Each structure stands twice: as C-alpha cells, then as structure tokens.
Amino acid sequence: MATWNELFERGESIARFPEREVQEFVSLLERRFTERPLRIWDLCCGAGRHTVAMAARGHEICASDIAAHGITLTEAQLSEFGLSARTAVADMTECPWPGATFHGVVSWDSLHHNTLENILTALHAVHKRLDVGGLLMVTLKSTRADSFGMGTEIEPGTFVQDSGREAGVPHHYFDESGIRAALDRWTLLALVELRSDYVERCPGFLDVNPFRYTAWGVLAEK
Ligand SMILES: C[S@@+](CC[C@H](N)C(=O)[O-])C[C@H]1O[C@@H](n2cnc3c(N)ncnc32)[C@H](O)[C@@H]1O
C-alpha cells in the first residue's frame, strides 16, 4: 500500500504547475483584504506548487502536509526560486503553527483523502484559524467522480483502492447533501460541481487519464 510519502519519493503524483483557480483565489483575497502580506495556509501542500506561486506574489504562506517528502520538495522549490514560507509535516486535522491565523486557506485536491470524521475535524481546524471574513477554497471528490465505488468501502462513501497509482490511499466522495452538511457552519459563496463526463474508458483508465475527475469546488467564508 503506497503512502503519499512513498508516491512523492518515487516521483509519482507530483503536480508541478499551479491551478488557475488558486491564482484567482489569491486575487480575490487581495481585493477583499487591505493588509499585506496576506497570511495564507496551503493545507496539504503536496510538492508545493501553490505554496511557491502564492509566496511569489509576496504573501506569507504556511504550508503543511503529512508527507515529509512533499515538504522536502516544497522547501527545495522555494529555495530554487529564492522564496520562503513556513512549512510543517502535519496531519490535515491540525494546524501546526500555534496561534497562527489566516486570511485564506486553500486545500486543493486533498481533503478527501481521509475518513469523513477526519475531514470534518480538518474543516473545523481551518474554521478556527481563519479571520472573520476569511475564505476557504477547497476541492473535494464528488460521488460522480470516475473512481467512485472502486476498491474497498471502509465506511459509507470512503473507498480504498486495491490497485493503481493510488492503491492504499483513502478517498471520501461527497454528494450534494453530504457536502452541504460538511460545510454547514460556513457561508457558501460558490459550490460548483466541476464535471467530467467520460464517454470512453479503456481498461486501467485511472492510470492514463490526464483529465479532471468530477469534483466539488467550494469557496466558503467564515
Ligand atoms: C493530490 S495531492 C495534492 C497536493 C497539493 N494540494 C497540490 O494541489 O499539488 C494530495 C495531498 O494530500 C496530502 N495528504 C493526504 N492525507 C493527508 C493527511 N491526513 N494530512 C495531511 N496531508 C495529507 C498528501 O500527502 C498529498 O500531498
């Protein structure tokens, strides 16, 4: 069973370029808050593509991930570009910087890698650390995602795949009511299902598919 740390050590599942939506999110925070630098938490930062992109815009970035090798890659990229950020190996259920507060938190393609209870704990930890009016941008797998139902269901809606790139990694899938319940303490500014409707799928599709899976895009305010 591969852990994220092992995937990163093998050079697998490393996304290199920032998502356009994350850049838009930073622009939105820049319009919303006059304080500079903005304080932004990249929760489950992976190999650091968004940490680097946001630090390059002059903001104070905190980046955490459970995979130590992800943090090593993040630090290497930061130093390559002459940038800095606070980094920590930490589980998504905790904020590893005592007393830190944020204008924004971004968690791209990550929080669904857990049981529902832990995802809710993570969302609670984010809520506690956001300034009032602060924003969360998160993507979460939809029950309409390509891999929904694959592997072993370890609790309702949470599957661990038995084979492929992400064998051993849990995925929780949200339907609309599930996502609304998970975010019930937030003001939803946008809840978007980012749809991919596959017409053809080869055997071993998940290992070759370069396109997005169907996910919820959430922009929420504290
Ligand atoms: C698909 S990657 C996305 C990384 C990054 N957000 C990006 O967009 O490039 C998922 C990330 O979630 C992290 N992750 C998975 N489970 C975690 C947990 N329990 N606590 C913290 N990070 C976790 C993995 O280590 C991995 O870096």
Side-chain angles (χ1 to χ4, degrees), residues 97-150:
W97 304 280
T101 56
F102 303 98
H103 297 103
V105 177
V106 59
S107 191
W108 190 270
D109 195 17
S110 298
L111 280 200
H112 46 241
H113 289 304
N114 222 322
T115 58
L116 180 59
E117 186 184 351
N118 285 341
I119 296 168
L120 296 179
T121 304
L123 287 170
H124 184 63
V126 168
H127 195 269
K128 261 177 43 189
R129 296 308 189 95
L130 266 183
D131 294 348
V132 174
L135 299 180
L136 164 69
M137 184 169 79
V138 60
T139 60
L140 291 159
K141 283 202 183 237
S142 162
T143 48
R144 282 187 274 257
D146 49 14
S147 57
F148 177 70
M150 295 176 69

Side-chain angles (χ1 to χ4, degrees), residues 4 8 15 44-46 49-50 65-67 90-92 108-110 113-114:
W4 274 102
F8 287 146
C44 307
C45 62
R49 59 183 175 146
H50 297 128
D65 198 284
I66 200 165
D91 192 80
M92 65 172 75
W108 190 270
D109 195 17
S110 298
H113 289 304
N114 222 322

